Structure formats: C-alpha cells, structure tokens
Amino acid sequence: MTYGSGFNLFFKDNKEKSNQEKIEILRQYSTGDMLTLLRNIEESPREYDEEIIKGVYDCLFDKGIMCI
C-alpha cells in the first residue's frame, strides 16, 4: 500500500474534509495517482468509504479508463 499525505486524505477515518471535497481533490490527480489509490483500495477496501471508491471509478471513467 502506498501512503503519503495525498493518499491518506481518502481514508474513512480522515474527517478533515467531506467525501464530496475529497472527490473534488481527487479530480485533480493524475491518472497514475488515481490508479495507485485504486490499488490501495483493492488491498484494504474497508478503510475507504463507498462514496470515495465510486468517486475513484467515476474519475477514471472520465479519463477514458473502464474498471471492471
């Protein structure tokens, strides 16, 4: 799992920002960073809110990447 201030923001227990604010920040991430976050989510899905997980998939889809 990759950690860092940019990725720790999305943990379920991080309450500094709302999920909507987190998703807006996520939209500014590069495709590589989004894929890294997705890999982290796949390793420990219970650490992330469902809304954040869906947001990652939506952002990747907007960039032309389909996740199945």
Side-chain angles (χ1 to χ4, degrees), residues 7 12-13 31 39-40 44 49 64:
F7 294 116
K12 187 184 290 189
D13 62 354
T31 303
R39 193 170 331 130
N40 289 349
S44 301
D49 280 323

Side-chain angles (χ1 to χ4, degrees), residues 53-66:
I53 296 170
K54 184 179 180 320
V56 172
Y57 285 121
D58 289 344
C59 288
L60 286 169
F61 184 80
D62 291 345
K63 291 182 176 262
I65 298 172
M66 293 181 63

